[in-house]
């Protein structure tokens, strides 16, 4: 007698109905349903449903120095299984800068080979993935051209305008119009927890005096930064319609029951993966 097939369950996120929890065989991910409606498979991973000992049954999707390759590849298989079998996962060796790699062919779509931060493509059935563990993951989709991008928005990348660079690249490579883009901003270290020092504050305020409003100052030369808001402003300034920028109000530092957090868990911590792709 054959065993019944596992089915995917879905539950709308209470804090923002533009997102929903998806669960399959113990793996839990957060999906932007608005981006999905525009034809783009997408998900922000959690730590739930894997095989890594961080501390147990953790879905660690990167960080080969802190885990075994066997665990990471099995976790990736489980995570991608949420989307079915027709997808090819593409990730990069991230450099904590603002470089963007265009996936121009299926032979180019090899995991963990390109040295870049953000990824972009207009090819179908390729899941572009970016790794985070407190940084802001940003997914973009352009239903008119079929182009998409996955972008990590740490404080360095945010200050360097990596989101703006990605949109400019999509315009040049794929004829994307910013107003056509739909954006999903995923769980990250938020202003409730993410305290930074003078290096970060100076880097933002020196570039733009208005950036001071991104900080809740806590003590001399220290403050909590709102990187969700910083990237939302960049997206809108680049030409996206504000109502098409969807933000998951979940903090990785608050919710280590759901997410990995570099700041809370180092030196031993897992990595999350945020993915986007267009089906045929």
């Amino acid at each position: 007698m054959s065993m019944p097939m596992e089915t995917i369950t879905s539950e709308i996120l209470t804090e923002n109905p533009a997102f929903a929890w998806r669960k399959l065989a113990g793996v839990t991910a957060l999906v932007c349903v608005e981006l999905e409606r525009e034809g783009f498979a997408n998900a922000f991973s959690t730590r739930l449903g894997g095989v890594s000992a961080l501390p147990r049954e953790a879905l660690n999707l990167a960080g080969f120095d802190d885990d075994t390759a066997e665990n990471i590849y099995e976790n990736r298989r489980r995570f991608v299984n949420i989307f079915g079998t027709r997808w090819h996962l593409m990730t990069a060796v991230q450099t904590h800068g603002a470089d963007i790699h265009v996936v121009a062919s299926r032979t180019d779509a090899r995991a963990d080979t390109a040295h870049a931060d953000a990824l972009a493509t207009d090819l179908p059935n390729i899941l572009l993935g970016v790794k985070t563990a407190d940084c802001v993951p940003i997914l973009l989709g352009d239903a008119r051209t079929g182009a998409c991008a996955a972008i990590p928005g740490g404080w360095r990348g945010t200050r360097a305008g990596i989101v703006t660079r990605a949109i400019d690249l999509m315009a040049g490579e794929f004829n994307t119009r910013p107003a056509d883009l739909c954006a999903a901003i995923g769980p990250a270290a938020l202003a409730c927890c993410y305290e930074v020092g003078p290096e970060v504050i100076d880097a933002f305020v020196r570039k733009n005096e208005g950036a001071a409003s991104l900080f809740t100052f806590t003590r001399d030369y220290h403050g909590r930064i709102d990187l969700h808001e910083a990237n939302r402003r960049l997206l809108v300034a680049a030409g996206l319609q504000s109502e098409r920028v969807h933000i998951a109000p979940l903090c990785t530092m608050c919710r280590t029951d759901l997410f990995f957090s570099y700041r809370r868990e180092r030196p031993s911590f897992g990595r999350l993966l945020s993915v986007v792709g267009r089906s045929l």
Side-chain angles (χ1 to χ4, degrees):
M1 181 177 175
S2 61
M3 295 295 291
M5 295 287 289
E6 292 273 5
T7 58
I8 295 178
T9 63
S10 185
E11 179 183 349
I12 294 296
L13 180 67
T14 303
E15 296 89 339
N16 186 343
F19 293 85
W21 295 111
R22 295 282 166 79
K23 299 180 182 180
L24 176 66
V27 174
T28 299
L30 187 68
V31 171
C32 179
V33 294
E34 296 297 330
L35 188 55
E36 191 175 58
R37 287 190 184 112
E38 302 216 3
F40 294 93
N42 72 91
F44 303 94
S45 77
T46 69
R47 69 188 303 151
L48 306 178
V51 298
S52 298
L54 291 167
R56 63 185 181 278
E57 297 180 353
L59 193 76
N60 179 36
L61 296 169
F64 290 93
D65 292 336
D66 301 306
D67 202 350
T68 68
E70 291 79 9
N71 284 350
I72 291 170
Y73 289 133
E74 171 59 18
N75 289 337
R76 289 184 179 185
R77 185 196 67 79
R78 293 184 180 200
F79 178 57
V80 174
N81 195 45
I82 288 178
F83 305 98
T85 59
R86 65 187 185 276
W87 294 93
H88 182 87
L89 176 63
M90 168 68 182
T91 57
V93 179
Q94 292 170 211
T95 59
H96 301 288
D99 293 327
I100 304 158
H101 178 73
V102 175
V103 181
S105 68
R106 293 194 69 81
T107 57
D108 182 38
R110 294 171 295 166
D112 299 306
T113 54
H115 285 70
D117 292 285
L119 298 170
T121 194
D122 64 349
L123 299 177
N125 298 121
I126 292 176
L127 284 174
L128 304 177
V130 291
K131 310 157 194 172
T132 61
D134 281 334
C135 293
V136 180
I138 303 147
L139 306 178
L140 302 178
D142 174 8
R144 184 178 65 85
T145 67
C148 58
I151 306 157
W155 75 261
R156 290 180 179 84
T158 300
R159 180 188 177 276
I162 189 172
V163 162
T164 307
R165 291 189 184 193
I167 294 169
D168 289 344
L169 179 144
M170 293 176 75
E173 292 281 340
F174 312 125
N175 197 31
T176 289
R177 299 181 305 223
D180 292 331
L181 285 168
C182 179
I185 301 178
L190 301 186
C192 53
C193 296
Y194 187 13
E195 187 180 59
V196 296
E199 176 191 11
V200 178
I201 295 170
D202 289 347
F204 276 82
V205 176
R206 188 168 59 246
K207 187 174 182 179
N208 178 2
E209 289 185 4
S213 62
L214 296 170
F215 295 91
T216 302
F217 293 97
T218 54
R219 50 197 171 104
D220 286 349
Y221 307 110
H222 288 77
R224 297 192 302 272
I225 186 171
D226 190 344
L227 287 180
H228 266 182
E229 173 61 14
N231 283 286
R232 187 200 69 80
R233 291 181 189 181
L234 289 172
L235 289 165
V236 173
L240 272 74
Q241 301 174 56
S242 60
E243 64 272 18
R244 290 170 60 76
V245 179
H246 307 287
I247 301 175
L250 295 169
C251 177
T252 51
M253 293 179 68
C254 286
R255 298 300 307 271
T256 53
D257 58 322
L258 288 174
F259 306 107
F260 298 116
S261 171
Y262 166 74
R263 287 200 155 217
R264 291 285 192 228
E265 299 179 287
R266 60 184 173 184
S268 180
F269 63 101
R271 277 75 165 180
L272 305 165
L273 197 62
S274 302
V275 298
V276 63
R278 174 177 62 90
S279 61
L280 283 171

